[in-house]
Amino acid sequence: MKKILAVTLLLFVGLSHAQTDQRLYNIIEAVSADRIEKDITTLANFGTRHTLSDTLSNTRGIGAARRWIKKEFENISKDCNNCLEVSFQKNLIKSGVNQRITKDVWVVNVVAIQRGNKYPNRYIIMSGDIDSRVSDPNDFTSNSPGANDNASGMAGTIEAARVLSKYQFESSIIYLGLSGEEQGLFGGQGFANHAKEKGWEIIGVFNNDMIGNIQGVDGIISNTDFRIFSEPVPPTETEEERKMRRFYGGEVDGISRQLARYVHKNVLTYMPEMNPMMIYRLDRFGRGGHHRPFNDMGYAGIRIMEAHENYTQQHQDIRIEDEISYGDVLEHVNFDYAKKLTAVNAINLAALAWAPPAPKEVGIGGIVAPSVKLQWTAVSGAKGYKIYWRDTTSPTWDHSRYVGDVTDFTLDGIVIDNYFFGVSAVGENGFESVVVFPNKIIR
Ligand SMILES: [Zn+2]
């Protein structure tokens, strides 16, 4: 009996290829809370980074901040044999397009591209925001350190570039500093347009907005909880696709939701001490963030964020009122927590950038049959494919089967009505694409 168990265990270890990859643990280890603290401090010390603030000073305002971020990416690039393509990407926003744009302004993003060696035109994006604000959204002179909102996301993005630039990836990674967030998501909109014009294939966007606060206004303190927001289906779906969903399902299986599940699963595998909370909505109730403009154009995108917000420390003039100290200042940021959420991004950027592309078309059939048939388009660079399924009420892909290098497979003894299904591509190195929900009906 003992012997059989040992053999079974050995088989399990041997066959369950790529359960984990040591490099992802090394990446988690390499992320530095000290460097994140240093960068958040530098960003907060620009006084204000309001989108409409001064651009000429080298010590105060958004101009100084974006030039410093660009310089920082350039320094990182020097350390990796110029592995980053660093640039500004800018869009002129005209006075009066909304109430928060009171003068013509160049909304300037900072871009650092780490080019993939196999799929240079496929991109995974990690973003943070450059800009900050106080109580009055149009006040562009008052001190607005924006330490958590969103120097934390920006510093995390810079730190991820430092860590991941030590590796070579198959797909390209973009480390992105976006501006104009607080004035109406202008930086993200401009960059999403830019990507569309260039014909870039964007696999996904990880928008990091507030990744440093562990003490919530709800009284909960947690340095392990965090949220992954994703919209259910893309707003760009056609009327025909919407109609099809009524008969074939997919209400909670859009591309952004699959990206959220991908991140959720990797975190549970590689950082089991964390508590990732998948939130089934685009963003917080009635509020917005910089993944939305990408979603608007049909790209997969999620928001990664602390779980317990503190509203006395967001968009507030620095002041003390009724013994509460308001303001988004450095002392409220937990740098170790920001490090953890940066690591969450870094391992998922790496996993996706090492994975083959997802199958483009996935067909499914099995009406009135005791089996489910799946069929998909071959992916060059894939070693094989993995079929996933789950109960219709489950948020996560709970069952899976690796089926090898084939382009169709029949799951016997499973009734199609009672589960949802998907397919991912698996690379030689064991890394997997995002799961694709069937987009075609087959016989
Ligand atoms: Zn904000």
Side-chain angles (χ1 to χ4, degrees):
M1 184 64 196
K2 243 182 197 158
K3 213 171 196 175
I4 293 173
L5 188 72
V7 170
T8 314
L9 275 175
L10 204 71
L11 264 179
F12 179 75
V13 172
L15 290 179
S16 58
H17 49 140
Q19 286 284 299
T20 55
D21 187 306
Q22 183 56 38
R23 288 175 295 180
L24 294 201
Y25 292 113
N26 299 344
I27 285 168
I28 295 166
E29 290 253 307
V31 179
S32 158
D34 288 344
R35 286 191 299 256
I36 290 171
E37 173 171 3
K38 213 169 141 248
D39 290 349
I40 293 177
T41 307
T42 301
L43 287 163
N45 285 344
F46 286 113
T48 176
R49 303 185 307 281
H50 193 284
T51 299
L52 302 176
S53 65
D54 182 76
T55 58
L56 300 176
S57 163
N58 275 325
T59 53
R60 189 180 175 85
I62 195 160
R66 68 192 176 217
R67 287 191 295 277
W68 175 80
I69 294 165
K70 183 162 179 273
K71 190 92 207 132
E72 210 48 41
F73 280 134
E74 286 164 353
N75 289 339
I76 294 167
S77 191
K78 269 188 211 137
D79 283 344
C80 62
N81 212 0
N82 300 317
C83 76
L84 300 180
E85 300 159 27
V86 183
S87 62
F88 285 134
Q89 187 276 323
K90 57 183 187 172
N91 320 281
L92 182 64
I93 308 298
K94 294 296 240 178
S95 172
V97 293
N98 70 20
Q99 288 180 346
R100 292 187 183 185
I101 300 289
T102 52
K103 57 182 179 188
D104 288 4
V105 62
W106 283 100
V107 167
V108 182
N109 302 318
V110 187
V111 190
I113 303 177
Q114 185 176 355
R115 193 64 64 184
N117 56 13
K118 194 163 174 187
Y119 311 104
N121 209 36
R122 300 177 75 231
Y123 300 86
I124 309 131
I125 299 176
M126 175 178 181
S127 74
D129 302 307
I130 305 170
D131 60 310
S132 66
R133 58 164 283 200
V134 288
S135 302
D136 172 359
N138 293 348
D139 174 354
F140 56 83
T141 55
S142 294
N143 272 347
S144 176
N148 190 39
D149 182 12
N150 186 12
S152 65
M154 189 66 246
T157 303
I158 295 169
E159 178 62 7
R162 275 190 203 106
V163 171
L164 297 181
S165 57
K166 304 281 184 272
Y167 299 84
Q168 270 271 353
F169 296 99
E170 297 186 356
S171 293
S172 299
I173 298 175
I174 302 180
Y175 309 98
L176 184 58
L178 292 171
S179 191
E181 199 265 348
E182 306 289 4
Q183 306 316 107
L185 310 177
F186 289 105
Q189 205 178 77
F191 196 79
N193 279 325
H194 177 73
K196 198 115 229 170
E197 277 163 23
K198 295 244 176 190
W200 290 352
E201 187 191 343
I202 295 183
I203 305 161
V205 179
F206 299 155
N207 168 37
N208 287 263
D209 196 345
M210 292 189 265
I211 60 168
N213 179 59
I214 64 166
Q215 190 159 357
V217 78
D218 53 7
I220 296 174
I221 302 174
S222 166
N223 63 4
T224 54
D225 298 351
F226 75 97
R227 293 181 287 182
I228 308 165
F229 288 90
S230 62
E231 66 179 0
V233 291
T236 51
E237 72 171 356
T238 61
E239 187 59 22
E240 188 56 29
E241 285 167 328
R242 193 186 71 79
K243 275 188 195 149
M244 295 284 275
R245 275 201 281 113
R246 294 191 69 203
F247 300 98
Y248 303 112
E251 294 85 351
V252 292
D253 276 280
I255 51 175
S256 295
R257 184 62 47 76
Q258 305 306 350
L259 186 64
R261 290 191 180 111
Y262 188 90
V263 171
H264 184 264
K265 180 186 163 195
N266 270 330
V267 171
L268 292 185
T269 305
Y270 286 94
M271 303 175 72
E273 71 280 11
M274 298 300 287
N275 175 32
M277 302 157 66
M278 267 199 291
I279 308 288
Y280 269 31
R281 59 199 317 163
L282 168 63
D283 209 318
R284 293 132 329 136
F285 186 87
R287 302 168 74 196
H290 247 153
H291 51 309
R292 190 172 84 212
F294 292 92
N295 293 161
D296 288 344
M297 316 246 342
Y299 296 125
I302 57 176
R303 178 186 187 125
I304 293 174
M305 182 186 192
E306 65 206 27
H308 308 288
E309 291 181 67
N310 196 324
Y311 311 117
T312 61
Q313 296 158 20
Q314 290 174 16
H315 308 166
Q316 296 282 356
D317 291 338
I318 300 171
R319 67 193 191 281
I320 295 175
E321 215 175 276
D322 301 328
E323 286 169 36
I324 297 168
S325 66
Y326 288 84
D328 190 355
V329 295
L330 275 171
E331 65 200 73
H332 299 308
V333 179
N334 185 296
F335 305 107
D336 201 52
Y337 178 71
K339 168 206 148 100
K340 292 176 191 175
L341 296 206
T342 299
V344 163
N345 282 267
I347 58 170
N348 281 288
L349 291 171
L352 274 173
W354 272 322
K360 279 221 156 47
E361 270 188 10
V362 173
I364 189 166
I367 292 179
V368 296
S371 61
V372 181
K373 186 169 184 182
L374 287 140
Q375 193 180 76
W376 52 91
T377 45
V379 173
S380 90
K383 174 186 73 172
Y385 304 87
K386 207 164 173 180
I387 296 177
Y388 284 89
W389 66 101
R390 65 178 207 269
D391 287 5
T392 58
T393 49
S394 173
T396 47
W397 291 114
D398 303 315
H399 316 291
S400 65
R401 176 164 176 177
Y402 180 71
V403 295
D405 193 12
V406 294
T407 53
D408 65 85
F409 196 84
T410 300
L411 289 168
D412 281 320
I414 292 182
V415 172
I416 196 169
D417 311 330
N418 305 336
Y419 304 93
F420 290 135
F421 300 84
V423 178
S424 75
V426 184
E428 283 294 346
N429 53 16
F431 283 107
E432 266 182 69
S433 74
V434 170
V435 174
V436 178
F437 193 80
N439 44 28
K440 206 174 112 184
I441 304 304
I442 58 169
R443 292 197 173 272

